Amino acid sequence: MPYIDESPTMSPQLSARSQGGGDGVSPTPPEGLAPGVEAGKGLEMRKLVLSGFLASEEIYINQLEALLLPMKPLKATATTSQPVLTIQQIETIFYKIQDIYEIHKEFYDNLCPKVQQWDSQVTMGHLFQKLASQLGVYKAFVDNYKVALETAEKCSQSNNQFQKISEELKVKGPKDSKDSHTSVTMEALLYKPIDRVTRSTLVLHDLLKHTPVDHPDYPLLQDALRISQNFLSSINEDIDPRRTAVTTPKGETRQLVKDGFLVEVSESSRKLRHVFLFTDVLLCAKLKKTSAGKHQQYDCKWYIPLADLVFPSPEESEASPQVHPFPDHELEDMKMKISALKSEIQKEKANKGQSRAIERLKKKMFENEFLLLLNSPTIPFRIHNRNGKSYLFLLSSDYERSEWREAIQKLQKKDLQAFVLSSVELQVLTGSCFKLRTVHNIPVTSNKDDDESPGLYGFLHVIVHSAKGFKQSANLYCTLEVDSFGYFVSKAKTRVFRDTAEPKWDEEFEIELEGSQSLRILCYEKCYDKTKVNKDNNEIVDKIMGKGQIQLDPQTVETKNWHTDVIEMNGIKVEFSMKFTSRDMSLKRTPSKKQTGVFGVKISVVTKRERSKVPYIVRQCVEEVEKRGIEEVGIYRISGVATDIQALKAVFDANNKDILLMLSDMDINAIAGTLKLYFRELPEPLLTDRLYPAFMEGIALSDPAAKENCMMHLLRSLPDPNLITFLFLLEHLKRVAEKEPINKMSLHNLATVFGPTLLRPSEVESKAHLTSAADIWSHDVMAQVQVLLYYLQHPPISFAELKRNTLYFSTDV
């Protein structure tokens, strides 16, 4: 029977890679069947695969039963005067085992009759789909796995009775087996759930291979496989200590714990390095260029024994070597090129274009993605060798910095010795990197398989509800990050909940997604100590209390209903809800049915009613931002709390007399968000539907004089309320950008935020432009950004001057 061998031969990380990376091998076919069985025998093979899997499920359930068997008596003694273990220890060691057992027992009981009373049309994809949908329990088990092992080990050392129990657990043999029981250690049994997800994924792979495409099970199995693979690629990489090891010349085992691509600042320039963290040493390498046909190898740039590695505190670290940040507009230009190239590749494929042309486009795309990956990170991560030299990496997210720091600090808790590697030892270690690495490709989309998800385009609505599990009161807040173009970007931040161990934020955010596949939540303790300033970026360093990541599964999030979930991180649980609106849905401008308000009402109607040149809502929001938000990091980019924005919207719509009082009390990001929402909900864009095609043509002109003439003529063509409001907003955004060293908002950042808001056509107009979500992003949105950027970079534009001298721009060229 296939898949009965339950020994831990494969780690989740390795198996996830073999499934998704395209270079993996399919599991071996069941015994007695030659590889490459013809398609006609697919249903027969299907039965064999299922029978084998059912047999291994029975063994797995018996193993879980054996693990649960001592739990009840241990719990019973925990409340007596002579407990073997405390309740806390029992709950840690046996965490989620009961839940996993119940899930698999139900699955087995439902699958068994279907296999025993076999019918070629039998459907059981829904059972696998349900099993895959419950993988959250496994995530919780995996996160706790190491703590469970460590607790079991400590308890064995301090309690003889528990040691005896954990060394000989009796596992029932299968029904038809002659062996009634076998003895297994608790450590071996605790590994079984980790191995099981891998095996279930392999079986799904085989089942799909032998299920006809038109069989009702096919889409269900596909869905189950996708969820399982997403899960495998997201779970902790270093669960299995047997996974990756190299033997030192002294016969000791040196294991690879973590590896990945990082940007190092070396000789004042950025270099992409592959960094390897072993149990006793950190090694920084680069891939050697090799001639065709030769094996690739790594070249060691430097290494630090972990016994000599220290992290300088932010105050201690010397100012970083001068690395010029890449201008925002150049990064945005790269994104624009990448998106345009993606569209071209898709068109070539659709038209069955020449593979050489596709390869050329892919090469161009890779070059741009590589440049973006190299130049976008800005978060400093410094490490220091006790014997002198410091090294600086730049990362795109606090999440990665925290992961690397935690992984190194955990290893440093062990008794480590300083050492120097001989040239031979260094050669052996560097030579092992190619074989042991877990990250094979630079994280760019060009390296993804064609059938991998392109990610989500649109708006993700997230409510961060609350958090539990803090050991003491603190000032707490959360940030939200999503991936975009191969790296993560911080998108939203909750308010600081002061002096509490159970913060309840209940704050909603709207986050724009650009091909995103993951959402991260980081929980911080706010630091108010001004002495703790990081010299690398002049910011006070807050302490990360926990961090977690979930895959944005289109099946789950693309529903109209809110989906509530919990992220577990270092014993902290953060509860949140989310729902997703695709880009074509979010592009709609809907006029308000209630013309007495300001949102969704034509700007000319509002200014006429108010007898004003610029709507009151625009003036008040701008004034408040300039008063107390102009130095706020990420103003207009960081999302405000949606419930606060909706409250402000209601007050402005009702023309409530308490507006000014409410504005002065409200979080500044909510006020910035209200201003953006006002322009986004106008029934037609501020720069009008009628002129939209002309703006798109004008910005594409290459002759500077012709462009100037056209762009100024278009402004003069706007209705007066639109033009005056636009010029008022333009001057405000320029004042915000003057504070870029503090607020990190350049003209280009502001154009990216406001361009689509001020130009995106209303629904009727935009239908002609809608193709795919990625196309909309690559063409229309980028052009909208460029239009606003043109005016932001232009010398001051006066309304009177524009209107008085119609011929001014056409003669002065």
Side-chain angles (χ1 to χ4, degrees), residues 412-466:
Q412 286 180 324
K413 285 179 183 167
K414 294 171 185 164
D415 183 23
L416 296 169
Q417 303 297 315
F419 57 83
V420 176
L421 292 173
S422 69
S423 57
V424 174
E425 285 176 305
L426 187 56
Q427 212 175 338
V428 169
L429 183 61
T430 311
S432 71
C433 290
F434 191 78
K435 182 180 82 213
L436 298 180
R437 63 190 181 156
T438 63
V439 179
H440 287 63
N441 293 320
I442 296 168
V444 291
T445 49
S446 337
N447 284 333
K448 285 187 176 177
D449 287 348
D450 291 343
D451 58 354
E452 280 190 59
S453 163
L456 296 169
Y457 288 83
F459 290 91
L460 185 70
H461 302 262
V462 182
I463 302 174
V464 182
H465 296 294
S466 59

Side-chain angles (χ1 to χ4, degrees), residues 215-228:
H215 193 287
D217 265 350
Y218 194 84
L220 301 174
L221 292 170
Q222 251 186 337
D223 191 45
L225 179 63
R226 182 183 48 75
I227 296 169
S228 301

Side-chain angles (χ1 to χ4, degrees), residues 495 505-509 640-652 662 665-671 673-674 677:
R495 69 184 186 278
W505 295 284
D506 287 320
E507 292 182 42
E508 184 185 332
F509 301 94
V641 177
T643 40
D644 289 350
I645 293 170
Q646 289 305 318
L648 280 170
K649 177 182 175 180
V651 168
F652 274 111
M662 194 169 172
D665 284 347
M666 195 62 83
D667 174 67
I668 200 66
N669 286 319
I671 293 166
T674 305
L677 185 70

Side-chain angles (χ1 to χ4, degrees), residues 621-666:
C621 290
V622 162
E623 190 181 313
E624 202 62 38
V625 168
E626 292 196 2
K627 196 192 298 177
R628 59 191 178 92
I630 206 156
E631 294 190 350
E632 181 79 14
V633 174
I635 189 71
Y636 290 120
R637 181 174 56 78
I638 298 288
S639 301
V641 177
T643 40
D644 289 350
I645 293 170
Q646 289 305 318
L648 280 170
K649 177 182 175 180
V651 168
F652 274 111
D653 265 342
N655 195 18
N656 194 308
K657 59 181 184 297
D658 297 331
I659 288 174
L660 294 179
L661 182 65
M662 194 169 172
L663 279 174
S664 61
D665 284 347
M666 195 62 83

Side-chain angles (χ1 to χ4, degrees), residues 87-356:
I87 285 288
Q88 179 69 48
Q89 288 167 334
I90 295 165
E91 284 178 354
T92 303
I93 295 168
F94 297 98
Y95 185 65
K96 295 292 178 190
I97 301 289
Q98 184 70 44
D99 294 351
I100 292 172
Y101 170 77
E102 284 165 12
I103 287 167
H104 282 270
K105 186 76 172 74
E106 183 190 353
F107 172 75
Y108 178 85
D109 291 344
N110 287 323
L111 184 63
C112 193
K114 288 180 181 289
V115 175
Q116 286 174 348
Q117 294 142 32
W118 182 254
D119 167 2
S120 63
Q121 286 307 303
V122 72
T123 57
M124 40 67 210
H126 59 288
L127 299 179
F128 281 92
Q129 198 183 31
K130 186 178 179 185
L131 190 66
S133 73
Q134 293 168 310
L135 282 172
V137 176
Y138 273 91
K139 175 77 178 92
F141 174 85
V142 165
D143 288 345
N144 181 69
Y145 173 69
K146 285 190 172 173
V147 187
L149 271 191
E150 284 163 12
T151 308
E153 199 177 316
K154 281 178 193 162
C155 293
S156 286
Q157 287 164 1
S158 60
N159 189 301
N160 285 339
Q161 208 176 339
F162 181 69
Q163 187 181 9
K164 280 181 190 166
I165 294 168
S166 63
E167 279 177 359
E168 282 206 21
L169 290 166
K170 300 284 186 229
V171 179
K172 256 191 324 195
K175 286 178 197 137
D176 309 330
S177 163
K178 289 173 189 170
D179 300 327
S180 58
H181 287 88
T182 47
S183 291
V184 187
T185 65
M186 185 172 284
E187 185 191 350
L189 288 180
L190 281 171
Y191 181 80
K192 299 302 175 188
I194 292 196
D195 204 37
R196 192 66 198 165
V197 188
T198 302
R199 291 172 181 276
S200 303
T201 309
L202 294 177
V203 166
L204 282 166
H205 225 267
D206 268 12
L207 274 177
L208 266 171
K209 235 191 303 183
H210 302 297
T211 300
V213 179
D214 57 357
H215 193 287
D217 265 350
Y218 194 84
L220 301 174
L221 292 170
Q222 251 186 337
D223 191 45
L225 179 63
R226 182 183 48 75
I227 296 169
S228 301
Q229 285 179 340
N230 278 349
F231 172 77
L232 283 177
S233 63
S234 71
I235 61 175
N236 198 356
E237 287 180 354
D238 56 354
I239 292 156
D240 179 11
R242 288 159 280 206
R243 185 183 89 236
T244 45
V246 58
T247 308
T248 66
K250 293 175 187 166
E252 295 157 355
T253 302
R254 177 177 281 137
Q255 287 157 358
L256 177 67
V257 175
K258 181 177 174 62
D259 70 305
F261 289 97
L262 299 183
V263 174
E264 185 188 12
V265 177
S266 170
E267 296 158 4
S268 292
S269 65
R270 295 167 182 247
K271 309 278 172 72
L272 192 68
R273 303 294 194 215
H274 200 146
V275 180
F276 295 85
L277 175 62
F278 289 92
T279 33
D280 60 347
V281 64
L282 184 78
L283 184 139
C284 177
K286 77 171 228 189
L287 205 54
K288 278 186 188 174
K289 284 183 177 164
T290 53
S291 50
K294 288 207 169 179
H295 277 303
Q296 282 189 302
Q297 283 181 321
Y298 282 99
D299 188 11
C300 175
K301 301 308 290 179
W302 51 264
Y303 72 91
I304 308 178
L306 296 191
D308 290 332
L309 189 153
V310 284
F311 296 109
S313 68
E315 314 86 89
E316 292 166 354
S317 69
E318 67 272 18
S320 52
Q322 194 53 45
V323 185
H324 298 291
F326 220 63
D328 280 328
H329 66 92
E330 290 194 32
L331 292 176
E332 292 299 329
D333 284 348
M334 282 180 213
K335 289 183 185 179
M336 194 171 176
K337 280 182 196 158
I338 292 163
S339 298
L341 285 163
K342 263 186 199 166
S343 296
E344 279 187 61
I345 292 166
Q346 291 308 323
K347 280 175 197 156
E348 283 284 341
K349 284 181 179 169
N351 300 332
K352 304 254 183 334
Q354 288 184 350
S355 57
R356 196 176 293 170

